[in-house]
Amino acid sequence: MNKLKAVFAILLLFGMLLPPASSAVIVSELRPPIIIVGNIPRDFVIGPYEEFTVYFYIADDFGVTTGKGKVEAYYRIDSGDWKPAYVRTAAAGENWSLYQSIIHRFYGESQNFYVFYRKINLPGAPPGSRIEFKIAVTDVEGHTSYSPVYSYYVANPGGPKVLIVDPSVEAMAFEKSLDSLVIQFNVSRSFYHYNLSDFEAVAEPLLKLKPWMLTEHNWGELAKYYNIRIVSLDELSEALKEFQPQAVVLSNLWLPEWGLSKDQISALRDYLETHHAGLVVTSGTLFDATNPQHIGSVDGSPGIAGLLGLDPLIMAGSAKDGLNLTRASVMVPFIGTGYSLVLSERGPFNGGTVDVGTYSTVGWQYVLSSTHFGIAKRSVSRFAAENGLRMREMGESIKNLTGVQFNFSLSASMVLPEVVSSMEVTDKGVVMTHGGLKVELAVERGLLERIRLLHALKGYAPMLLARTSDYSGGILAMEGDYRAVYSSVELEAGSTEELSVLRKLVDWVLNYEPVQMPEVVILANDIDWGIKGNLLAAHLGALGLSVRHVTADDFEAYRNSKIVIILGGPDAYDGVGGYVRQVLSPNEQNAVRTGERGMFIKTNVWTEGQVVVVLAGQDRWQTGRKTRDYMNGLDKQYIRILATFTAPVS
């Protein structure tokens, strides 16, 4: 027994002298390090040749400084080769507030792991440069974690101020390390007890997408010439107040998480009108399957479409249920037919073509003639048929994001834009038909009058500044108290040529010039003028227009005026009816006599580039009511449409 005790004692002593077992042997689950990047340049920009110090925090259960452990950082400029960045230990006191913001995210009562505070210095660069950096940390067990691959730009502080709303800059940083980040999110909850919820919110929608649905944007071309800032949606309102930009870019805001609220859209509109700031909107920002509020609604709620003169899109979204088209969207992104962009000789362009390698969003084509609409429809339908899998994948992803199942092969047939193209605008609303079904929509008066005017001015407003050879992509513009552009092509994701087009558009909206509006001529006899005509003239004057009242005896001298409003029907007294009969068709004249219709807009009646509005009732009192209804629909947005139609574009 004593011998046995002696042997046991020797074995115990021997065991105590042995080195401890490797930690890798006792780990029962994967616990890689987590990397917390504490700071990136504010608004993703810095000044010329300005160095930037990145602070980051590491937590790991067994450490990263011995054995296999290592901390590496890399950077590159303008997509060049990755270069190592020297990693140094950081002291908490170097940037105490930043350090506190990092460590205050820990919420566990105990911390059974190691922590490390490090920093890297990144070099300065000239305006227009794009700088990327990333961090890789390997722990002693050989587990490697990766930070997001962040990028930022060197802006030109002396250039015009351009505010870019583009949450994809941050999202793409996460996308490049998404697998590693998801593991870090999980282990931060289960072991490190570190709050990464705001980072998870950025990554969550990315997990529901196919890789081809995210594209990298390069803002270096704009940063070279402009003082840019890049912000997220929740930073927009504050940035408008603080930064006071001269132009705003809404960059492909198609994910639901990237949607502007009605209040934000209203505040943006007010800012544009007050400061005459320019607006550029790109591609999927008008994708109604994910952000229908960007289109707007029939109750007159502000939408981004209205800022661009694309108000009729609202009608398609509102009529879907009644036309049995609930699974169709009005706009469809991710269409790439491969045709070149043909530039007009209007606005910022002087003709020419540009190769396009990026996606376009379709649905705006209702503004085209029937011939050109047909060309676009055939090309887009062919693309959808040849890329059926991609259409289905888009449907699956959008359902994952919104819970709603869309049929994007159906949507790509452009059925809803075709319905918009053929709609009828009545005195009280809009009538839309499809497949034997008919829907009549009651519309807020201001919106109704804008739609009536835009429907009549199709081909003139919005202006078509550029389009692809097959009309699947286009660039549309509006004039007025601010310049606004919609590019259905995602130019910011394109080549140097495409980025050059984007820069020209920004230049154009920046160079705002007040539109010299032509005089409005109101043709009316003394009776109709006295009932409501003088009030209409006063209202137009309050909106900044000069007005002249003429009778039929004097009208010949003014019949070539750019804007003519006629009060009275085909049988109006004192010669007015004779001019009405020159404007309206026999069927339209009969509609006035029977009380069926009384509000019409025609173009190019007596001269090219002319708009003629007829407000007519069965008698003088009915004419007065039509005039009142029309007057109640006139606002600044209506005047912008007239300005776009009448302004010489340069």
Side-chain angles (χ1 to χ4, degrees), residues 562 564 566 583 600-603 605-606 610-614:
K562 287 287 188 180
V564 176
I566 305 178
V583 178
F600 307 89
I601 299 180
K602 304 289 184 176
T603 57
V605 176
W606 292 292
Q610 180 185 57
V611 59
V612 177
V613 179
V614 177

Side-chain angles (χ1 to χ4, degrees), residues 336-359:
T337 59
Y339 286 87
S340 297
L341 189 65
V342 181
L343 307 178
S344 71
E345 295 186 358
R346 308 179 72 190
F349 303 128
N350 293 307
T353 60
V354 173
D355 290 337
V356 173
T358 57
Y359 292 124

Side-chain angles (χ1 to χ4, degrees), residues 279-573:
L279 175 67
V280 177
V281 178
T282 70
S283 203
T285 301
L286 296 183
F287 186 29
D288 54 300
T290 51
N291 286 309
Q293 78 280 6
H294 286 184
I295 299 295
S297 61
V298 292
D299 64 2
S301 298
I304 296 172
L307 307 181
L308 303 166
L310 295 171
D311 307 76
L313 289 173
I314 298 170
M315 297 299 100
S318 301
K320 290 197 304 183
D321 289 349
L323 298 178
N324 197 25
L325 292 171
T326 54
R327 295 184 65 191
S329 64
V330 186
M331 307 292 284
V332 185
F334 306 115
I335 302 296
T337 59
Y339 286 87
S340 297
L341 189 65
V342 181
L343 307 178
S344 71
E345 295 186 358
R346 308 179 72 190
F349 303 128
N350 293 307
T353 60
V354 173
D355 290 337
V356 173
T358 57
Y359 292 124
S360 176
T361 296
V362 301
W364 59 270
Q365 284 84 351
Y366 73 87
V367 306
L368 301 173
S369 68
S370 58
T371 299
H372 294 156
F373 182 92
I375 294 172
K377 180 177 179 177
R378 287 190 293 273
S379 183
V380 174
S381 297
R382 183 169 56 250
F383 173 85
E386 293 172 352
N387 294 271
L389 175 60
R390 181 155 290 197
M391 295 293 106
R392 291 191 296 274
E393 287 180 341
M394 180 161 54
E396 292 169 4
S397 294
I398 299 306
K399 184 178 181 180
N400 290 336
L401 289 166
T402 66
V404 180
Q405 181 68 64
F406 285 88
N407 182 337
F408 289 111
S409 293
L410 171 64
S411 305
S413 70
M414 293 170 44
V415 57
L416 284 172
E418 193 165 22
V419 168
V420 173
S421 183
S422 61
M423 69 184 177
E424 179 188 3
V425 185
T426 70
D427 293 2
K428 296 182 179 180
V430 174
V431 178
M432 310 184 79
T433 58
H434 172 73
L437 299 174
K438 180 179 178 179
V439 174
E440 185 164 3
L441 298 171
V443 183
E444 184 269 337
R445 178 53 66 173
L447 175 60
L448 178 60
E449 293 310 320
R450 293 196 298 274
I451 289 175
R452 188 191 316 281
L453 182 58
L454 286 165
H455 196 54
L457 299 183
K458 190 164 64 172
Y460 296 98
M463 301 175 285
L464 187 61
L465 296 182
R467 47 85 178 176
T468 55
S469 303
D470 66 340
Y471 293 91
S472 65
I475 299 175
L476 305 168
M478 289 289 289
E479 279 275 16
D481 45 10
Y482 60 92
R483 282 177 167 173
V485 167
Y486 173 63
S487 172
S488 78
V489 180
E490 194 180 1
L491 296 169
E492 62 270 46
S495 64
T496 301
E497 277 192 303
E498 290 161 288
L499 293 171
S500 177
V501 171
L502 178 60
R503 183 194 159 202
K504 289 179 180 179
L505 293 175
V506 173
D507 270 344
W508 187 70
V509 301
L510 281 168
N511 294 323
Y512 165 79
E513 295 179 1
V515 177
Q516 298 300 315
M517 292 293 293
E519 182 180 64
V520 178
V521 172
I522 299 180
L523 169 60
N525 59 39
D526 291 339
I527 295 175
D528 289 325
W529 176 258
I531 292 174
K532 287 295 181 185
N534 53 356
L535 294 177
L536 173 60
H539 188 63
L540 291 169
L543 290 171
L545 300 178
S546 61
V547 181
R548 180 187 297 270
H549 169 224
V550 300
T551 63
D553 293 338
D554 302 321
F555 185 65
E556 281 300 309
Y558 298 96
R559 64 184 289 165
N560 291 333
S561 299
K562 287 287 188 180
I563 305 174
V564 176
I565 300 176
I566 305 178
L567 306 184
D571 305 317
Y573 298 148

